[in-house]
Amino acid sequence: IEELSEYKIYSLDDCLVNYDCLFKESERGNYILINEHNKKCIDKIKNGDYTGAITNSRSLLEQILRELQLEFSRLDDSRPYNGQNIVPLLKSVLERLNVKEGLTGQPLSGYTKLEEGFVKLTDGLSVIRHGMSDAHNISHIPSKKDALLIVNTAKTLANFIVQVYFEKFVNAA
């Protein structure tokens, strides 16, 4: 519909959140993997592979969080997070991004609640991935609406986190 400097906005006819990843032009391996997960999410929904779409959406979010954690460790010579659970990884990245910086009153309270929600959503993505994706034994076969919810949630969280990262650490430099 319209092109902006970092994003291309698409029609929402299929109810699928989409964006061109901000890492699109990078040739670093991790950025390529992020772009591949982004494309796979879209392709798998279109092809009816809802279990695969759920797997790739969780992987997309995790890969972005891991890449940002690596960037932060390069900035301050700290050790990157090496755990298996995505929730502590998300908390670590959110703490480093400090999206509440400078906020007071209701905006501060609102962003605190949003961060708590991000953690709960990410935990929910992990739980659903274990029961409805092709990465684990399926206990429930997902429908298109299930896959859309999971993919859109993961991509919206990833989009917000990447946007904050670029505003604070890339464009500010």
Side-chain angles (χ1 to χ4, degrees):
I1 296 172
E2 168 183 358
E3 256 188 67
L4 303 173
S5 60
E6 290 108 4
Y7 299 100
K8 196 182 265 184
I9 309 297
Y10 294 89
S11 166
L12 294 178
D13 292 341
D14 293 325
C15 298
L16 185 62
V17 172
N18 196 13
Y19 65 97
D20 285 336
C21 190
L22 290 171
F23 302 126
K24 187 176 182 179
E25 302 303 321
S26 179
E27 294 188 22
R28 289 175 52 187
N30 290 344
Y31 295 146
I32 291 169
L33 186 59
I34 289 167
N35 291 328
E36 287 174 358
H37 283 306
N38 184 44
K39 184 174 180 342
K40 284 179 184 179
C41 287
I42 297 164
D43 292 345
K44 288 184 178 186
I45 292 249
K46 287 180 180 175
N47 294 327
D49 180 5
Y50 305 135
T51 59
I54 289 170
T55 298
N56 285 114
S57 65
R58 171 33 174 85
S59 298
L60 168 71
L61 181 59
E62 182 177 19
Q63 190 63 37
I64 286 174
L65 292 171
R66 288 191 183 283
E67 186 59 28
L68 293 180
Q69 188 65 31
L70 282 172
E71 289 296 322
F72 294 144
S73 67
R74 286 184 197 115
L75 290 173
D76 60 16
D77 293 326
S78 64
R79 297 181 71 154
Y81 173 81
N82 291 320
Q84 297 298 317
N85 191 331
I86 192 172
V87 171
L89 178 60
L90 172 70
K91 287 179 178 180
S92 173
V93 169
L94 286 174
E95 181 180 321
R96 190 63 196 263
L97 290 175
N98 193 15
V99 298
K100 299 181 288 189
E101 181 178 27
L103 297 176
T104 60
Q106 288 181 326
L108 176 61
S109 175
Y111 264 90
T112 299
K113 289 180 187 295
L114 284 172
E115 283 189 1
E116 292 167 1
F118 294 166
V119 169
K120 288 181 180 181
L121 285 170
T122 301
D123 189 39
L125 292 174
S126 292
V127 171
I128 287 177
R129 180 175 178 248
H130 287 284
M132 297 173 84
S133 79
D134 59 7
H136 297 279
N137 292 331
I138 298 174
S139 61
H140 179 80
I141 297 172
S143 66
K144 183 176 182 178
K145 72 171 175 47
D146 298 321
L148 283 169
L149 174 65
I150 300 309
V151 169
N152 286 337
T153 299
K155 291 177 85 174
T156 299
L157 287 172
N159 190 15
F160 174 77
I161 289 165
V162 168
Q163 182 77 26
V164 171
Y165 169 75
F166 269 77
E167 285 177 6
K168 287 192 165 210
F169 294 94
V170 177
N171 297 338

